[in-house]
Amino acid sequence: MTLFKPKQTEDIATPSSDLDFLLRERISNQWTGFLHALSDELLSQLTPQECRDFLRSVGTRLAKAMPIPTQDTVPELETAINEKLGAQRWGRVELIDTGSHLQIRHHYCPLPLALCMDAQVAGGLLEGLYELWFRSVGAEEGLSIVQTGASADGSVLEFKFGQN
């Protein structure tokens, strides 16, 4: 009698499984079960947009709890934000000033995986975080942030900050 079926082995050489492994390493085991249960409960009681709006509010609160100092240039702002993100093991950001808006690429984001959520929904948290950080360093009130995309594996989330 066999109690357990043999596991099928994954091809661990593929970039997506390596990336998946690295992103999972950034999520504390003590919080995994709680985050999954919280996510399931949120998604069972809220629409995806309501869940996204809720996470955006959470991101705003996080930005208040983790303020960044005022910076004079976009590269200095990128460095200051990356220091905060690095301390949380939340990946890194790349800020690109296009002249008309600020393009934001958040690399190695563990949130979709940690929350077991679609990257578009989980990205709400980063919208709130970045928007308040940008306001705190002097961005105009009329400017806002919107998520413009995500990589297929959810490890890179892209945003636009400007006139939307």
Side-chain angles (χ1 to χ4, degrees), residues 65-85:
M66 301 185 312
I68 57 169
T70 301
Q71 304 298 320
D72 294 326
T73 67
V74 171
E76 289 172 350
L77 179 60
E78 180 179 293
T79 298
I81 290 173
N82 279 323
E83 286 175 9
K84 294 293 181 181
L85 294 174

Side-chain angles (χ1 to χ4, degrees), residues 113-143:
L113 190 59
L115 296 172
C116 289
M117 285 185 181
D118 178 80
Q120 288 296 123
V121 175
L125 190 135
L126 293 177
E127 280 184 355
L129 185 72
Y130 285 125
E131 189 162 305
L132 188 70
W133 274 344
F134 295 155
R135 292 215 189 294
S136 73
V137 297
E140 297 173 20
E141 275 301 312
L143 304 178

Side-chain angles (χ1 to χ4, degrees), residues 75-101:
E76 289 172 350
L77 179 60
E78 180 179 293
T79 298
I81 290 173
N82 279 323
E83 286 175 9
K84 294 293 181 181
L85 294 174
Q88 298 300 314
R89 298 178 54 163
W90 278 16
R92 68 174 178 82
V93 72
E94 179 183 7
L95 302 178
I96 302 149
D97 187 350
T98 69
S100 63
H101 66 275

